[in-house]
Amino acid sequence: MICLYSKAQAAFVISSSQEMEVSSLKIIPYHAVYQAALPEISLAWLKQYDILEDLDVEMVNHPEQILDSGGHVLLAVNDTLSAAHPAQDVLGMVMLENNGDSGEVLKLGVRENARCRGIGRALMEAVVEIAKKEGKHKLILSSNHQLTSALRLYESMGFTYTTCDTPHFELSDIYMELLL
C-alpha cells in the first residue's frame, strides 16, 4: 500500500492492494464538513464495548483541540465523495496527538459496514508516516483488552506492550508503543 500525505495538498491517496476490498480510498485531513462522522464512527464502538468515557466524547466533538496543538485528525473517505452527504463518505478516522518528540494515536475507528477491508491499517500507516516525517521518535496508544482486532493490528505493525503512569482513559488497560 502506498501512502502519500501532504497537509498542503489536503489529501493523500492509498493505492489499492489485493487484500483490500475497497478499490480506492483517500486519507484526508479533517475538515469541519465531516464533523458529524466523528461521533458516528468513534463513539459507536466505544458504546458497543461499554468503554465510553467523557473524554472520548470531548475529543470527537472538539477535534480542533488536537489540531490546535499541532496534531492531526485523519479521515478515510470514499474516493468518489458525495457533495450531498459528506459525513456519510467517511469510512474511518484516527487522531494523532502531538506530544513533542512523540505522538499518541487516539480514536482509531472504522464504520461497522466498512471493517475488514484494510481501512484501519491504512489509517495507522498514515499516522506512522506522518510521525516519521515530523521527526517523532515514538508513537504510543492505549486500548482495552476487549478490542482484539485492534490489538492484532497494532501488533502486526510493530507496536509492543508497555506500561503507562498517566493514562488519559480510566478504562484503558493496554498500553503500547512503536519506536520510530
Side-chain angles (χ1 to χ4, degrees), residues 48-67:
Q48 176 185 348
Y49 288 96
D50 197 28
I51 55 175
L52 179 64
E53 298 183 35
D54 291 342
L55 183 56
D56 296 308
V57 176
E58 178 73 18
M59 284 182 162
V60 298
N61 285 332
H62 301 285
E64 65 278 359
Q65 293 175 356
I66 296 290
L67 299 170

Side-chain angles (χ1 to χ4, degrees), residues 158-176:
F159 280 83
T160 58
Y161 292 90
T162 187
T163 58
C164 180
D165 295 329
T166 56
H168 278 314
F169 303 98
E170 293 178 26
L171 298 174
S172 292
D173 58 4
I174 302 283
Y175 307 98
M176 301 179 88

Side-chain angles (χ1 to χ4, degrees), residues 21-22 25 30 33-46 48-49 74-78 81-82 85-94 107-121 123 149:
E21 294 176 28
V22 176
L25 180 74
Y30 171 80
V33 71
Y34 300 110
Q35 173 56 43
L38 275 59
E40 290 173 8
I41 293 169
S42 193
L43 300 185
W45 63 264
L46 291 164
Q48 176 185 348
Y49 288 96
L74 302 180
L75 307 174
V77 297
N78 285 321
L81 297 175
S82 162
H85 305 287
Q88 292 177 4
D89 290 323
V90 179
L91 302 174
M93 64 165 290
V94 67
K107 306 289 139 262
L108 175 66
V110 176
R111 288 189 189 275
E112 189 171 359
N113 64 354
R115 291 182 186 155
C116 300
R117 298 182 188 176
I119 296 169
R121 179 172 297 279
L123 286 162
S149 294

